[in-house]
Amino acid sequence: MSEDQVKSPIDGILPFLQSIEWRDPWLALLLTFHIAVTMTALMTRNHANFQIMLFLALLLLVYFSESINEVAASNWMLFSRQQYFDSNGLFISVVFSVPILMNCMIMIASWLYQSSQLMTSLKRAQLRQQARNREIEDESVNTNGTVVREKQE
């Protein structure tokens, strides 16, 4: 076996991504899919039910990525110029699963931020209600002619 026939190991993510022929139409479609999912996740951040469904659908895609990789490996000649789908699943992990998981992380971060904002506004409302209750209590005590004692510090 000559040196040209021996495949060299992958030196890193950047050389791996540079070795991909990005002009394949299916790769452009995959990139469009990732952009559309990201935009959908960002634009629907105030629609919890839709986001939950999107989140679960994306996690299912990642869960089934091994099966997708096997099907793509056996049928790669129908849609690709090169065989990218190895048994380790590196290609599908890097160009399919990782972007999907990053979208899921963006959605979780958004949910955590919204939850913290909701908890902050709830606590402020509770404090305002407590202050109003104290004012009402103080006014009712003053109108009944009862002497209000000040707390000694």
Side-chain angles (χ1 to χ4, degrees):
M1 199 180 261
S2 70
E3 288 183 36
D4 292 30
Q5 294 174 338
V6 176
K7 292 187 177 184
S8 63
I10 298 171
D11 295 331
I13 295 293
L14 188 59
F16 174 73
L17 291 175
Q18 289 173 341
S19 69
I20 296 171
E21 193 174 323
W22 292 102
R23 289 173 290 193
D24 268 343
W26 75 275
L27 285 172
L29 186 64
L30 181 65
L31 182 63
T32 304
F33 166 76
H34 287 310
I35 291 169
V37 167
T38 302
M39 297 305 293
T40 303
L42 293 174
M43 291 189 311
T44 62
R45 67 181 176 269
N46 294 326
H47 303 280
N49 291 336
F50 181 82
Q51 281 234 318
I52 290 169
M53 298 307 287
L54 178 63
F55 183 78
L56 293 175
L58 291 175
L59 288 182
L60 281 173
L61 284 173
V62 171
Y63 179 77
F64 289 112
S65 65
E66 184 177 357
S67 301
I68 294 169
N69 187 55
E70 289 173 8
V71 170
S74 59
N75 298 308
W76 70 271
M77 288 179 267
L78 299 174
F79 61 90
S80 181
R81 296 178 194 159
Q82 294 182 27
Q83 164 51 308
Y84 294 112
F85 305 97
D86 61 339
S87 60
N88 294 329
L90 177 67
F91 177 78
I92 199 159
S93 294
V94 171
V95 298
F96 183 72
S97 297
V98 169
I100 289 175
L101 290 173
M102 291 184 68
N103 280 320
C104 289
M105 287 177 24
I106 289 170
M107 284 191 274
I108 290 173
S110 173
W111 296 342
L112 289 173
Y113 176 76
Q114 289 173 349
S115 296
S116 68
Q117 294 299 310
L118 184 62
M119 288 190 307
T120 302
S121 63
L122 177 64
K123 191 62 179 176
R124 285 182 183 153
Q126 285 176 341
L127 292 173
R128 280 193 297 267
Q129 186 63 37
Q130 287 173 356
R132 280 190 211 117
N133 290 344
R134 271 189 249 118
E135 286 176 9
I136 292 170
E137 188 178 288
D138 289 346
E139 287 175 6
S140 67
V141 169
N142 287 337
T143 57
N144 291 336
T146 310
V147 178
V148 178
R149 295 184 185 178
E150 294 183 20
K151 292 182 181 177
Q152 294 179 349
E153 293 182 31

